[in-house]
Amino acid sequence: MPASSPSSSTPSKPLSAPQKAMRKMGLVRDIDLALHIPLRYEDETHIVKLRDAREGDAIQIEATVQSSEVQLRPRRQLLVTVDDGTDTCVLRFFSFYPAQQKALAVGQVIRARGEIRGGFLGLTMMHPSFKAATGVLPAVLTPVYPTSAGLPQAYLRRAVAGALARADLSESLPPALAWPAAPKGQQIQSLRQALTYLHHPAPDVSIAALEDRSHPAWQRLKAEELLAQQLSQHMAKLERNSLRAPALQHRQGAWHDQLRDALPFQLTAAQQRVGLEIAQDLARPVPMHRLLQGDVGAGKTVVAALAAMLAIDAGWQCALMAPTEILAQQHFAKLVAWLAPLGVRVAWLTGSQKKKERTDMLALIESGEAALVVGTHAVIQEQVKFKKLALAIIDEQHRFGVAQRLALRDKMQDADMEPHLLMMTATPIPRTLAMSYYADLEVSVIDELPPGRTPVVTKVISDSRREEVIGRIGAQLAEGRQVYWVCPLIEESEALDLTNATATHEELSAVLPGVSVGLLHSRMSVQEKRDVMAQFTQGAMGVLVSTTVIEVGVDVPNASLMVIEHAERFGLSQLHQLRGRVGRGAAASACVLLYGTPDGGRLSETARERLRAMVDTNDGFEIARRDLEIRGPGEFLGARQSGAALLRFADLATDEHLLEWARHMAPLLLAKYPDLAERHIARWLGGKSEFLKA
Ligand code: ADP
Ligand code: MG
């Protein structure tokens, strides 16, 4: 990373406290500071006469201190009366330093800024900011920057101003290529102009346009940012295309075909289509980098299994990694059931494994005897050595970090080759997100559920009707069905979380005599969890009370009712995932969203609306869209955000046109002006773009 600032490249000198604070905030290079945009602005360009001040105005006055006294009742405060020749005003401070008191001594002429309040005792300002009235008034608005402890605003202002003057802000686009057009007459000429404007806007600017980021200077900044993101993703893709991977050709009549023909069901058209997309990628000598997206229950596992068989048929190994032990266990059970009859050896790896079993598994993997390896994070541990890994499959990919995905890729023995990578997710990714954060991936979508599923009916019910709901459990059990009861995660306290689930477990056990009610929570040992899950899967257990550990992947087709307690505390996508655990068989299924209100009052309107969205639709895409609106992109990106720095300026909800522009421009720039492209990426992403390759 080029350090363009002389002040930042002197490692021998110890850093001052503000410098350290800046470093922590990532403000290292001049360009970092130049891109540190104000939170808001203060108008110090005008002096308003007290006579003309209206209540509620945020104004600056210039006045002489007439009296200054510390009052002790009703609470300690400093009262300073100032006079500007047109009226007087009382400045009120509840906390103050001696130095401030001195600066506000009688006779001092000061400039004070704050909100003016009227009232019985005349004009007042609470805690105004102030300084001695020296020098001319500034010609531009004063920036107020996001800052942190130990980094005074004044220090940061000077640092940014200096960096802005020094920074290399040369244009990233040659004259032949154009930035997106701004409204007529408002065109911003250059990045330097845009940044100068954002740091020091003229006082006549439309504050609204600055605040809602619609001002042309903002548009330019956002276009620059999106261009950097698109460029780096595009480069990652090109780089990957220059790497080699084993070409896995389909072999007629081999295990892949045998598995397909032995399945107890017909693949849906969507499964066949994505299967083909994957097969085509695998057949090329270039590493696949594909995201398989499909709503809960869409049948991603079998698609993954078929992809694995293509690799195995070609004489290679495949690894399948899942984020939780329960999920990995389920995959393992299912895959063994499918593959053992064909004679394919499947190995199993988790952190909780007995030493002996583990050693055996490691040997099977290293010798290549195990063609398929299923497990949790244990799969990427150092001791795990594959004989010849060709395909890595990651289920629920958003639950894994970038580093973990990289580690899996590094399991390839041949240093010149990369394994193919298939990532799976049940969280649909809205279009704008796919276009931005996932632009470097190929995406396959299973947009159809297997036939014969009856849509889950969702009901929103107050916790005060709990008994009625428990009655419904009895009815389901009487029909031989099974029931999930989900307790919410209490974020502040894992212990409380547990108490909650335990109490519910006791309650249900008491009111449902003769029914086997199980309990599953995160504090249980792996073995305990496994036993409970096995009992539920085999139908020996009627009701499973659980915290959200069952969120992903659990597949028990006989379960037909899910009750989610305190549903208002969950995100929509999470509720959708949970709901996807029922309705997997042919029986009509229901999901009851119980909501509680702490004081027995009504649920807030937004909470009500969110739960209503769950009743309205079973479409994961629609739910994801609403969730994106409500909660922003963090939820979808999971660990990915740590690598591909979240967009700081652009907003996918309002800036789709800029995103489209950047998507169109990035390949052009990269092809014709690679140096400009590279400099632009370095400027915006510094060292971070490495991560995008994951
Ligand atoms: P997900 O996409 O959520 O991971 P799964 O792979 O767990 O879904 O599949 C859900 C259930 O549907 C499983 O029991 C699976 O065996 C079954 N299934 C998958 N594909 C089909 C199909 N084409 N027809 C019928 N059932 C299917
Ligand atoms: Mg799954």
Side-chain angles (χ1 to χ4, degrees):
M1 188 196 313
S4 48
S5 149
S7 62
S8 64
S9 55
T10 44
S12 49
K13 221 161 83 193
L15 295 177
S16 67
Q19 278 171 329
K20 273 189 203 149
M22 288 207 308
R23 193 148 290 229
K24 247 198 189 144
M25 292 173 74
L27 304 176
V28 179
R29 308 167 301 164
D30 283 340
I31 188 68
D32 300 330
L33 280 155
L35 293 175
H36 193 59
I37 304 300
L39 270 180
R40 57 188 177 83
Y41 305 91
E42 283 177 353
D43 189 350
E44 295 179 327
T45 64
H46 291 93
I47 301 288
V48 175
K49 290 293 180 196
L50 283 168
R51 183 185 51 209
D52 303 328
R54 279 170 318 180
E55 197 171 340
D57 284 355
I59 56 165
Q60 175 172 238
I61 58 171
E62 184 168 309
T64 310
V65 178
Q66 291 207 312
S67 72
S68 170
E69 59 175 298
V70 175
Q71 211 177 64
L72 294 173
R73 269 162 226 288
R75 67 185 264 213
R76 191 173 125 88
Q77 52 186 298
L78 174 65
L79 295 177
V80 177
T81 308
V82 298
D83 186 337
D84 76 347
T86 69
D87 204 344
T88 61
C89 178
V90 177
L91 315 182
R92 202 184 274 268
F93 301 88
F94 288 117
S95 63
F96 48 93
Y97 298 109
Q100 291 175 311
Q101 214 177 333
K102 210 169 128 201
L104 291 165
V106 173
Q108 298 287 346
V109 183
I110 59 156
R111 287 184 195 141
R113 235 163 349 83
E115 189 181 311
I116 202 87
R117 295 195 192 169
F120 194 57
L121 299 172
L123 301 175
T124 63
M125 274 189 190
M126 300 288 279
H127 276 277
S129 54
F130 67 90
K131 58 182 162 199
T134 51
V136 292
L137 291 170
V140 293
L141 299 184
T142 308
V144 179
Y145 292 106
T147 183
S148 67
L151 182 55
Q153 191 63 234
Y155 184 97
L156 188 53
R157 274 185 195 140
R158 276 196 306 277
V160 171
L164 185 61
R166 279 191 308 268
D168 168 19
L169 297 177
S170 44
E171 289 293 289
S172 293
L173 291 189
L177 299 177
W179 291 96
K184 236 187 149 185
Q186 295 199 53
Q187 196 64 15
I188 283 282
Q189 303 304 333
S190 63
L191 175 62
R192 177 164 294 283
Q193 197 187 19
L195 285 177
T196 305
Y197 201 89
L198 292 173
H199 286 289
H200 307 291
D204 61 349
V205 68
S206 153
I207 294 278
L210 281 185
E211 280 176 356
D212 71 13
R213 303 186 170 188
S214 63
H215 190 279
W218 265 113
Q219 297 288 303
R220 173 60 177 271
L221 193 64
K222 295 198 271 195
E224 297 244 359
E225 178 179 45
L226 288 165
L227 179 62
Q229 190 196 40
Q230 292 294 314
L231 279 174
S232 66
Q233 303 232 7
H234 215 81
M235 260 173 73
K237 211 166 173 171
L238 287 181
E239 235 168 85
R240 206 158 34 234
N241 279 337
S242 68
L243 298 170
R244 288 192 315 126
L248 310 169
Q249 303 284 351
H250 175 223
R251 289 182 31 213
Q252 210 74 40
W255 281 330
H256 170 276
D257 292 8
Q258 290 173 27
L259 170 61
R260 188 195 51 206
D261 296 343
L263 288 172
F265 47 74
Q266 281 280 317
L267 293 177
T268 62
Q271 283 171 320
Q272 290 180 30
R273 189 190 66 241
V274 303
L276 205 62
E277 287 165 2
I278 293 167
Q280 281 166 353
D281 278 1
L282 293 179
R284 297 173 59 219
V286 169
M288 170 172 78
H289 204 65
R290 189 171 280 278
L291 181 67
L292 174 57
Q293 216 176 301
D295 211 343
V296 272
K300 294 183 289 295
T301 315
V302 68
V303 172
L306 287 167
M309 296 326 285
L310 286 174
I312 296 166
D313 279 339
W316 294 78
Q317 286 171 299
C318 172
L320 170 62
M321 184 161 79
T324 66
E325 177 115 14
I326 290 181
L327 188 51
Q329 176 78 43
Q330 286 220 359
H331 282 323
F332 179 67
K334 185 164 266 178
L335 290 165
V336 167
W338 281 339
L339 304 185
L342 305 179
V344 178
R345 190 92 191 246
V346 186
W348 163 245
L349 274 182
T350 84
S352 65
Q353 220 155 16
K354 296 247 160 52
K355 184 127 192 277
K356 166 84 174 69
E357 189 189 348
R358 183 179 169 74
T359 317
D360 292 348
M361 290 295 169
L362 289 177
L364 284 178
I365 298 167
E366 192 160 2
S367 70
E369 250 174 284
L372 177 61
V373 181
V374 179
T376 58
H377 298 79
V379 172
I380 50 174
Q381 271 156 12
E382 226 190 298
Q383 311 90 301
V384 186
K385 300 218 162 38
F386 288 84
K387 177 139 190 270
K388 39 190 325 203
L389 179 68
L391 171 63
I393 303 175
I394 303 181
D395 198 12
E396 306 294 340
Q397 61 91 22
H398 58 286
R399 309 261 303 237
F400 288 97
V402 173
Q404 290 162 329
R405 278 195 300 247
L406 280 173
L408 188 50
R409 236 178 40 181
D410 282 345
K411 290 287 173 198
M412 189 93 187
Q413 283 305 340
D414 185 340
D416 298 337
M417 287 231 232
E418 295 252 323
H420 298 282
L421 189 57
L422 178 65
M423 294 170 266
M424 307 202 285
T425 184
T427 308
I429 298 165
R431 196 181 105 85
T432 47
L433 268 187
M435 268 167 53
S436 54
Y437 292 99
Y438 290 89
D440 61 326
L441 296 186
E442 310 297 330
V443 179
S444 288
V445 183
I446 306 182
D447 52 5
E448 165 188 20
L449 292 180
R453 303 255 174 95
T454 19
V456 179
V457 176
T458 302
K459 292 240 157 72
V460 177
I461 298 180
S462 159
D463 191 53
S464 59
R465 289 166 61 197
R466 198 179 172 89
E467 271 171 41
E468 219 175 290
V469 172
I470 294 174
R472 274 176 81 163
I473 295 183
Q476 289 297 311
L477 295 172
E479 287 180 30
R481 302 279 166 208
Q482 288 166 279
V483 177
Y484 293 107
W485 185 294
V486 181
C487 301
L489 202 77
I490 298 170
E491 283 187 13
E492 312 84 65
S493 155
E494 206 181 321
L496 249 183
D497 187 24
L498 192 58
T499 322
N500 226 27
T502 314
T504 304
H505 176 245
E506 276 167 18
E507 177 194 359
L508 294 181
S509 305
V511 296
L512 297 168
V515 175
S516 164
V517 181
L519 175 61
L520 194 67
H521 59 73
S522 50
R523 290 269 187 93
M524 284 162 59
S525 78
V526 168
Q527 189 54 49
E528 287 169 327
K529 280 188 206 163
R530 199 182 297 171
D531 291 347
V532 171
M533 259 340 276
Q535 283 183 50
F536 192 68
T537 310
Q538 289 153 16
M541 185 181 282
V543 181
L544 180 61
V545 177
S546 154
T547 54
T548 43
V549 282
I550 62 158
E551 182 188 343
V552 287
V554 178
D555 186 27
V556 181
N558 191 46
S560 58
L561 173 63
M562 168 166 291
V563 181
I564 304 178
E565 226 179 313
H566 280 297
E568 76 280 3
R569 295 187 191 161
F570 291 89
L572 287 186
S573 295
Q574 209 181 1
L575 287 175
H576 182 65
Q577 291 264 330
L578 283 168
R579 180 171 59 183
R581 300 305 120 211
V582 291
R584 302 198 142 220
S589 297
C591 175
V592 173
L593 304 177
L594 277 182
Y595 64 88
T597 42
D599 43 11
R602 285 167 59 84
L603 202 56
S604 79
E605 193 46 46
T606 32
R608 193 175 290 272
E609 211 168 282
R610 291 177 52 230
L611 294 184
R612 216 177 285 137
M614 294 298 298
V615 177
D616 288 351
T617 181
N618 272 310
D619 177 351
F621 264 99
E622 176 58 18
I623 286 168
R625 203 185 53 74
R626 296 200 197 183
D627 223 15
L628 180 65
E629 264 171 28
I630 299 170
R631 288 148 65 103
E635 194 69 12
F636 293 87
L637 299 170
R640 192 174 175 83
Q641 64 182 292
S642 58
L646 281 181
L647 291 168
R648 293 151 66 190
F649 303 128
D651 176 348
L652 297 179
T654 56
D655 301 327
E656 198 171 335
H657 63 294
L658 296 177
L659 178 57
E660 294 279 10
W661 171 85
R663 201 158 77 119
H664 165 77
M665 185 58 68
L668 284 180
L669 189 65
L670 212 47
K672 290 205 182 140
Y673 306 92
D675 296 351
L676 290 178
E678 209 157 303
R679 192 185 61 195
H680 188 74
I681 294 176
R683 177 180 285 172
W684 275 89
L685 298 175
K688 291 191 206 103
S689 55
E690 264 302 298
F691 276 106
L692 284 168
K693 293 173 200 159

